[in-house]
Amino acid sequence: MKAHKILNIAALLAAIFVIIGVYTFAHVCGDMGEMEAKCHATRALAVTLSIILGILSLGQLAIDIKNSKLILSIVQVIGGILLALSPVIKPVCDMKTMHCNVVTRPFLIIVGIVITAVYLVDILIVTKKA
């Protein structure tokens, strides 16, 4: 039970890290006048997925029903995969030297993979205890 809570807190912190990251060091392109950059949609998708994953992590910490923990963990694995694929679903800028392509894209992929791995371990822990 303790490992389950630690994993959910770690995933919650990772989701918060994504939100802070896409607005600070892993920011997307700035204002491009009348034209909106593609990477702004990537940031919006990443922030939305991170908020959803954070809420689900808080739900995991509050809920004490084993079957619902497993279902929430499976949904969170899917959310982590979607976060890792967010630069593919909503592509970043085409220019290979842009900050969003060099920093934001790998950042989202790596954190999405980490969140997915955390919840896969969480699924193993929840099913082992059941």
Side-chain angles (χ1 to χ4, degrees):
M1 189 63 166
K2 190 174 185 179
H4 172 73
K5 288 186 179 186
I6 291 171
L7 288 173
N8 276 288
I9 290 170
L12 176 64
L13 293 174
I16 293 169
F17 181 58
V18 168
I19 295 170
I20 292 170
V22 295
Y23 284 105
T24 56
F25 68 91
H27 61 84
V28 296
C29 301
D31 189 24
M32 300 180 84
E34 294 180 16
M35 188 175 87
E36 186 173 333
K38 290 181 185 179
C39 51
H40 289 241
T42 307
R43 176 182 61 196
L45 178 62
V47 168
T48 304
L49 286 170
S50 296
I51 290 171
I52 292 169
L53 286 171
I55 291 170
L56 290 174
S57 292
L58 289 174
Q60 285 252 27
L61 292 171
I63 294 174
D64 200 25
I65 304 168
K66 287 181 176 46
N67 288 336
S68 63
K69 286 181 182 181
L70 180 62
I71 292 169
L72 286 176
S73 292
I74 292 170
V75 170
Q76 288 168 313
V77 165
I78 294 168
I81 292 169
L82 288 174
L83 183 63
L85 292 176
S86 63
V88 176
I89 296 169
K90 296 282 187 176
V92 293
C93 300
D94 295 328
M95 212 167 144
K96 299 294 181 199
T97 58
M98 294 294 286
H99 188 270
C100 57
N101 209 350
V102 175
V103 178
T104 308
R105 184 171 186 239
F107 171 71
L108 292 175
I109 292 171
I110 290 169
V111 175
I113 290 170
V114 167
I115 289 174
T116 303
V118 165
Y119 283 117
L120 286 173
V121 171
D122 189 49
I123 288 173
L124 292 174
I125 290 171
V126 170
T127 55
K128 185 178 177 183
K129 294 198 180 215

